[in-house]
Amino acid sequence: MIRWYATYTQSGMELWARSNLWERGYEVYLPRYLKRRRHARRTDWVPRPLFSRYLFVRADPERGGTRGIDYAPGVVHLLRMGQLPSAVPDQIIREIQGR
């Protein structure tokens, strides 16, 4: 069954990990928000990850669909409960996307 899974990334490498997973054929979701940045009397808005060092990947572990996630550049590991990947309910992902 295809479900969403949380992935822990290297510090500051969320976009790089997202790109690498997308190139491997995974559906990836990296929730971001706009943060105000002030520098040298100038203010601008920059996108930042909503959950630092985390992103969500849609995969099917029963068909071996999570094997390549741990080895993607920028990824530290897939969150697991023991040996099995820990799924994130679709409703939580939809609520995050809705905001």
Side-chain angles (χ1 to χ4, degrees):
M1 172 185 255
I2 298 176
R3 301 189 64 187
W4 287 102
Y5 297 93
T7 304
Y8 188 66
T9 67
Q10 294 175 359
S11 180
M13 298 293 180
E14 296 92 353
L15 289 173
W16 188 46
R18 180 184 72 174
S19 295
N20 287 314
L21 289 166
W22 181 79
E23 287 174 359
R24 291 173 183 229
Y26 292 101
E27 182 180 348
V28 184
Y29 176 52
L30 175 61
R32 298 192 293 172
Y33 71 100
L34 291 176
K35 180 180 180 180
R36 191 169 90 174
R37 178 176 64 178
R38 294 176 58 171
H39 180 69
R41 291 187 233 141
R42 194 176 103 192
T43 301
D44 60 352
W45 295 88
V46 293
R48 295 284 184 223
L50 184 60
F51 306 109
S52 181
R53 297 188 73 171
Y54 289 93
L55 55 85
F56 301 99
V57 181
R58 197 164 164 91
D60 186 357
E62 293 172 5
R63 293 189 174 181
T66 59
R67 280 189 219 134
I69 295 173
D70 284 331
Y71 302 107
V75 173
V76 175
H77 57 80
L78 187 66
L79 278 113
R80 300 178 189 279
M81 292 287 202
Q83 297 289 359
L84 299 174
S86 181
V88 177
D90 289 342
Q91 180 62 27
I92 292 175
I93 299 296
R94 282 194 299 271
E95 285 184 27
I96 295 169
Q97 290 172 332
R99 294 175 187 227

